[in-house]
Amino acid sequence: MTDFILPHALPSALDGREGVKLLSLDCFDTLLWRDSHAPRDIFSALPGTTILQRQRAESRARSAALVRHRRNEVTIAEIYRELLPSASKASITAAIEHEIAAEVRHCFAFAPTVALIQEAKKRGLDVIIVSDTYLDADQLRDLIVRAAGADVAAMIDRVFCSSHYRRSKADGLYEDVLKALKCTPEAILHIGDNKAADVDGVAPFGVQTLHLKQFDGKTEQRLRLESSIGAMLNPRQSATMTTPQPHRAALALGEPRIEDPAEALGFSVVGPAFHAFERWLQHEADTLQAERGGTIHWLFLMRDGLLPMRMHRTAKSQDAGHPVEISRFTATASSLTSEASVNQYLEYEIGSRVDKLAKQLLPDAEARKLLNALPESRGRNLAFLREVRKPHRMNQIVRSNRRFADRLITHVRACADPQPGDTLMLVDLGYNGSVQNDVDALLRERFGVHVAGRYLLLREHVRSGLDKKGLIDGEHYDCYALEAIASNVAIIEQICTASLGSTIDYRDDGTPIRTENSIKGRQSAVRERIQEGALHFERAQAAARLRGSPIDELPLWRDAAAAVLGRLMFLPMAHELAVVNEFEHDVNLGVSDTVPLFDPVIARRGLRQRGLMYLKGSERMYLPAELHGEGMPIKLSLLAQARFGLPLKYGDFVDSTISLPLIAADGVHASTGAVTATPTHDGYYLAAIPIQDCRFSIGVQFGQLFDWVQVQSASFLSVEDFLEEVRRSPNNEIAAKPSLEGIQQVAPHLYHCENEFAFMMVPPPPRIDDRPMMLALVFRPIAYRVATGASAPAHRVGAQSANA
């Protein structure tokens, strides 16, 4: 037989063990599980006491017990006497009760373990608890009664605690247990989650043992990362407990039985976040019903509202809620029903692409005609602005969009048929509520209803004054935490969305008119498997936990959802990225544009050329995924800067430089000098060398510094483009064509300098105009040139070497 058991197999643990007469169980993380990542997280719920104070008090109590009594096990009373040295006995008793009450709120019985106990009782077995704990037997039994229920506690015949016997299971506690039981060891089966304590500490006495493996290594790592992200996103934490993880039990029960990586991603990550969203939406609907009366119509805004709607129908019924196809494009069109609204739209959007503006404002044929008449120049947008503001154009736009608004209203009526006094609860991922901004007044005016936007994530650009709330919003998180999550919401959008083209209009009967779906079929198939995994979680989650008394779990699920989403967004794992590595993102603005979610090849190039600043110019939508493989420090740097809105610039990352010797020649004169190369990433440096208006050839004297050097790239671009913080495209770069003097290329990018006179000559590109240009040279030192008996010169200090 194996020496371990998975959580879902617990109810059948006694099968094939006919000789077992007594079932012995560990308590914490075997029978009683917590809503937290780690036991210490419960301490954050203690009034007037910090986690560190409580931990240090326990450490001092154990140290004192070791010195005074040669034992390491202590009671909770001894811990609190260290924590509150000046407190009265009554105050200490009250403080202990506060801790036990916190455990009661955040402990529950693990359902498979309860099923095992019930099976043991059916077979006529006694059941005991053997726990390493500072609680005594009465305190622990009381905790089980209050957290798991009296029925569960009644099935437990005896309770053994290390605090009473003054030694842990690893130190021989089970010897005392056997003496008290007067039972042969071979007739006992002991199960616990701690291998060192529950197997290595118990099996030597002849007891049959099983190690309960709660999670595999990947899940343990993911939960650690979620806990870490949760602490960063919400440092003030929940009012009840730090880093809650109410989904742990469901993951332990269900995840080991899922083989498909896409379904596993849905079950373990997407499922917990959207279960939290569904619980919150139900709470919000109940609140709206109590406050306003009428019918609450759940309107799930397609396309991204598909998964929230499927979760709701799984939780409630298959016909619950209404899918409503109001895209950003159609919402905007329905709002442009006056000259003032059109002018306001133009003021905000005039910097956008002209073809998108034309498609939003004009019928296709008219838009093409206008675009063909515009000049191909930097003044194209302003020329477009002048044209659409002409009276006949403006009248045409307003008339067209008023008819558009009529068709949108017909669509909503066909979906939900709201009556005066009802509430339309618009459900979407968020994050600004732009659709609601555009249609709120229209819906209220035409239907006589209240409109309430309820979003997974809400961080408004302006204080709209509309009825908007988010599961994750400014009431619970600060603006930088919200912005950090919103910046990477594209991965969630693509997981949640429907396999439909973007809605661009409606027929007279309200039927949506869509663009052709621009997303690949394979992506849609993977997305469906992810969504099925999330629905699996929704169906399974309740079966994992049994609470002795109900608590308000919503704050726990809210913080857990933020941590789960934040972790996926900023610290995705390799097997998760493998699921979505071919995903593209479509912009849902009435056009078929798509961009890759992430591109690791471009990322590595950008990091080496620009360092983390390359992110500002990227067109992908899931940038932290591009940092996978680049190390935790760089990922945490990105997270910290985004999460706290740190005002860091490129220069703040420069802590070492290399003075790179150069020769500059214009065909008549030559001069020598040096340029300061600054570090980027992975040991590479960037040397930015001005060449004026393509006048100078540059000789890079690598031989003076290096025996071996890697040259990643050498390219020319304008000084204006180089200095621009947002590098929009590498297409404006011109590849350099260097020649080598005393340098031998021995592998791609790898060069050997034969002597100190070796250099790389880089001629300028053809001159186009008088714009100042520069050579951007990215290189990595491999081996420095050091004269015999001499030390490295000062300019090498801090430079990083690396293998080729």
Side-chain angles (χ1 to χ4, degrees):
M1 291 186 178
T2 61
D3 62 351
F4 72 89
I5 189 168
L6 297 178
H8 68 271
L10 278 171
S12 59
L14 293 169
D15 292 352
R17 298 179 183 270
E18 285 73 15
V20 170
K21 304 300 180 185
L22 185 145
L23 176 64
S24 172
L25 296 170
D26 173 48
C27 184
F28 294 104
D29 291 322
T30 301
L31 171 58
L32 293 185
W33 288 38
R34 295 180 175 94
D35 286 318
S36 62
H37 174 70
R40 69 171 191 172
D41 297 335
I42 301 293
F43 301 154
S44 66
L46 303 180
T49 298
T50 68
I51 292 176
L52 294 180
Q53 286 173 332
R54 172 60 178 77
Q55 285 184 298
R56 287 165 180 159
E58 183 172 342
S59 178
R60 287 195 301 271
R62 291 185 185 278
S63 178
L66 186 63
V67 172
R68 296 170 189 167
H69 309 294
R70 296 185 180 180
R71 60 177 170 82
N72 192 42
E73 292 300 301
V74 296
T75 67
I76 193 169
E78 290 172 318
I79 294 171
Y80 271 85
R81 281 196 290 271
E82 293 292 337
L83 179 64
L84 305 170
S86 302
S88 65
K89 183 177 180 180
S91 296
I92 289 177
T93 300
I96 291 172
E97 178 52 35
H98 279 307
E99 179 167 329
I100 294 175
E103 291 279 14
V104 169
R105 286 196 303 274
H106 298 297
C107 282
F108 55 85
F110 187 49
T113 308
V114 174
L116 171 60
I117 293 174
Q118 292 168 337
E119 179 62 25
K121 288 299 178 181
K122 287 180 184 178
R123 300 185 184 206
L125 275 60
D126 284 345
V127 178
I128 66 172
I129 295 294
V130 183
S131 177
D132 289 341
T133 177
Y134 36 73
L135 302 178
D136 63 31
D138 290 339
Q139 290 169 328
L140 186 56
R141 182 175 286 276
D142 178 60
L143 174 59
I144 294 171
V145 170
R146 295 164 66 185
D151 291 345
V152 173
M155 292 187 287
I156 297 170
D157 297 287
R158 295 190 67 175
V159 175
F160 297 88
C161 298
S162 63
S163 61
H164 174 76
Y165 293 95
R166 304 305 192 186
R167 56 176 171 170
S168 66
K169 282 175 279 190
D171 290 331
L173 170 61
Y174 226 88
E175 181 181 6
D176 300 308
V177 174
L178 291 171
K179 288 178 181 178
L181 292 174
K182 295 181 174 56
C183 179
T184 59
E186 297 81 6
I188 301 173
L189 173 63
H190 178 76
I191 302 175
D193 71 292
N194 188 315
K195 186 176 184 299
D198 296 302
V199 175
D200 300 342
V202 176
F205 293 99
V207 175
Q208 298 183 55
T209 60
L210 282 173
H211 173 215
L212 173 60
K213 294 182 69 172
Q214 290 177 292
F215 308 107
D216 64 17
K218 289 180 180 178
T219 302
E220 288 181 347
Q221 182 185 19
R222 187 179 67 243
L223 290 171
R224 277 197 310 275
L225 295 175
E226 286 177 9
S227 178
S228 302
I229 292 290
M232 292 187 70
L233 287 177
N234 192 7
R236 69 175 183 252
Q237 295 301 338
S238 164
T240 55
M241 183 182 59
T242 185
T243 56
Q245 292 183 338
H247 53 301
R248 286 168 57 87
L251 298 188
L253 185 58
E255 197 171 6
R257 292 180 281 181
I258 300 174
E259 296 182 358
D260 175 22
E263 183 183 353
L265 175 61
F267 183 89
S268 60
V269 180
V270 182
F274 281 85
H275 170 72
F277 190 31
E278 168 60 20
R279 291 178 77 115
W280 176 75
L281 287 172
Q282 291 182 25
H283 172 269
E284 288 298 306
D286 291 343
T287 301
L288 287 167
Q289 181 71 63
E291 292 176 350
R292 296 188 171 275
T295 300
I296 310 299
H297 299 274
W298 293 53
L299 302 187
F300 294 90
L301 300 184
M302 297 291 114
R303 298 170 298 170
D304 298 345
L306 175 65
L307 181 57
M309 183 180 71
R310 296 183 73 183
M311 295 288 283
H312 181 59
R313 290 182 171 181
T314 300
K316 289 298 183 183
S317 68
Q318 285 302 308
D319 60 351
H322 308 284
V324 178
E325 295 193 35
I326 306 178
S327 64
R328 280 182 289 168
F329 181 86
T330 61
T332 299
S334 69
S335 71
L336 302 178
T337 55
S338 67
E339 184 174 346
S341 62
V342 175
N343 278 320
Q344 185 179 61
Y345 170 78
L346 290 169
E347 289 169 2
Y348 293 154
E349 302 294 336
I350 191 58
S352 302
R353 279 171 38 188
V354 170
D355 59 331
K356 291 183 179 180
L357 296 177
K359 189 172 183 63
Q360 182 71 74
L361 294 172
L362 297 163
D364 285 346
E366 194 69 23
R368 286 194 297 270
K369 179 180 177 182
L370 175 58
L371 291 173
N372 290 335
L374 294 178
E376 293 290 344
S377 68
R378 291 193 174 188
R380 186 173 172 83
N381 285 46
L382 293 178
F384 173 80
L385 182 61
R386 288 192 296 269
E387 284 296 320
V388 297
R389 277 181 161 173
K390 291 179 178 179
H392 74 282
R393 295 273 192 203
M394 186 65 72
N395 290 336
Q396 179 187 27
I397 293 169
V398 169
R399 286 196 306 270
S400 175
N401 285 325
R402 285 176 179 171
R403 293 192 295 270
F404 197 111
D406 292 339
R407 295 193 295 275
L408 185 148
I409 289 297
T410 301
H411 171 69
V412 174
R413 180 174 284 112
C415 293
D417 193 24
Q419 301 300 310
D422 289 350
T423 295
L424 300 183
M425 189 169 80
L426 307 182
V427 180
D428 197 4
L429 303 185
Y431 40 86
N432 182 49
S434 299
V435 167
Q436 184 182 354
N437 291 347
D438 287 336
V439 302
D440 192 290
L442 176 66
L443 296 175
R444 284 189 285 110
E445 176 187 340
R446 296 293 187 91
F447 291 121
V449 296
H450 178 70
V451 179
R454 297 296 182 262
Y455 304 99
L456 175 69
L457 169 69
L458 179 65
R459 64 100 172 89
E460 287 193 278
H461 292 147
V462 297
R463 297 172 63 180
S464 67
L466 303 179
D467 183 358
K468 293 183 185 178
K469 291 184 180 179
L471 170 68
I472 303 168
D473 64 9
E475 182 179 348
H476 305 96
Y477 294 85
D478 66 54
C479 63
Y480 293 114
L482 298 176
E483 195 67 34
I485 298 176
S487 65
N488 295 296
V489 77
I491 178 61
I492 302 301
E493 290 176 338
Q494 282 307 315
I495 285 172
C496 292
T497 194
S499 299
L500 301 170
S502 178
T503 303
I504 57 172
D505 204 343
Y506 310 93
R507 294 187 171 87
D508 290 339
D509 64 355
T511 303
I513 299 172
R514 310 182 189 101
T515 61
E516 183 178 349
N517 185 15
S518 56
I519 294 298
K520 298 174 183 175
R522 181 184 179 279
Q523 178 169 328
S524 297
V526 172
R527 179 171 54 218
E528 173 61 23
R529 285 155 43 210
I530 295 172
Q531 291 190 11
E532 284 296 331
L535 301 180
H536 181 182
F537 181 90
E538 180 62 35
R539 291 189 294 268
Q541 55 81 29
R545 294 169 294 134
L546 297 173
R547 287 198 185 275
S549 54
I551 67 167
D552 180 10
E553 293 186 348
L554 188 53
L556 307 179
W557 282 102
R558 172 185 286 111
D559 284 352
V564 166
L565 294 174
R567 198 282 310 163
L568 177 64
M569 290 176 176
F570 283 96
L571 299 177
M573 301 175 75
H575 60 278
E576 295 169 336
L577 295 179
V579 172
V580 299
N581 68 342
E582 294 184 11
F583 271 30
E584 294 179 322
H585 181 70
D586 53 340
V587 297
N588 195 21
L589 288 173
V591 293
S592 58
D593 294 4
T594 63
V595 293
L597 275 180
F598 61 100
D599 189 328
V601 175
I602 291 179
R604 178 155 293 185
R605 177 178 181 269
L607 282 169
R608 290 176 175 179
Q609 286 186 333
R610 301 277 289 184
L612 267 180
M613 294 300 110
Y614 100 93
L615 293 171
K616 291 188 175 183
S618 174
E619 292 183 348
R620 270 87 57 217
M621 305 298 291
Y622 187 18
L623 294 171
E626 300 188 347
L627 300 181
H628 185 76
E630 304 299 335
M632 181 66 80
I634 196 166
K635 289 185 278 190
L636 288 179
S637 294
L638 173 63
L639 170 59
Q641 186 162 3
R643 190 281 166 246
F644 297 108
L646 304 179
L648 299 176
K649 298 289 186 180
Y650 172 74
D652 300 318
F653 290 85
V654 174
D655 58 0
S656 65
T657 60
I658 294 177
S659 181
L660 187 64
L662 303 174
I663 302 170
D666 63 1
V668 178
H669 302 97
S671 60
T672 60
V675 68
T676 299
T678 54
T680 56
H681 174 68
D682 203 20
Y684 282 89
Y685 285 76
L686 168 66
I689 307 166
I691 61 168
Q692 296 190 17
D693 55 350
C694 299
R695 185 180 309 172
F696 290 101
S697 294
I698 301 297
V700 184
Q701 296 177 285
F702 283 130
Q704 286 193 25
L705 302 181
F706 315 118
D707 283 330
W708 293 86
V709 64
Q710 265 183 293
V711 179
Q712 174 70 19
S713 64
S715 58
F716 296 99
L717 69 165
S718 72
V719 173
E720 178 185 6
D721 288 339
F722 180 82
L723 294 178
E724 188 177 29
E725 275 203 345
V726 178
R727 294 282 297 281
R728 304 192 184 281
S729 171
N731 296 333
N732 56 0
E733 298 181 13
I734 303 170
K737 299 178 180 179
S739 60
L740 307 177
E741 299 292 338
I743 297 179
Q744 180 184 5
Q745 183 173 0
V746 297
H749 304 291
L750 180 61
Y751 297 86
H752 176 230
C753 301
E754 297 172 356
N755 53 50
E756 65 270 27
F757 305 108
F759 66 95
M760 175 182 286
M761 180 59 71
V762 187
R767 183 177 183 276
I768 299 175
D769 52 37
D770 59 357
R771 288 185 302 163
M773 301 287 288
M774 67 189 321
L775 168 64
L777 182 67
V778 179
F779 67 94
R780 176 164 64 175
I782 301 298
Y784 284 92
R785 182 176 304 282
V786 180
T788 303
S791 60
H795 60 243
R796 298 179 195 174
V797 175
Q800 183 178 356
S801 63
N803 294 325

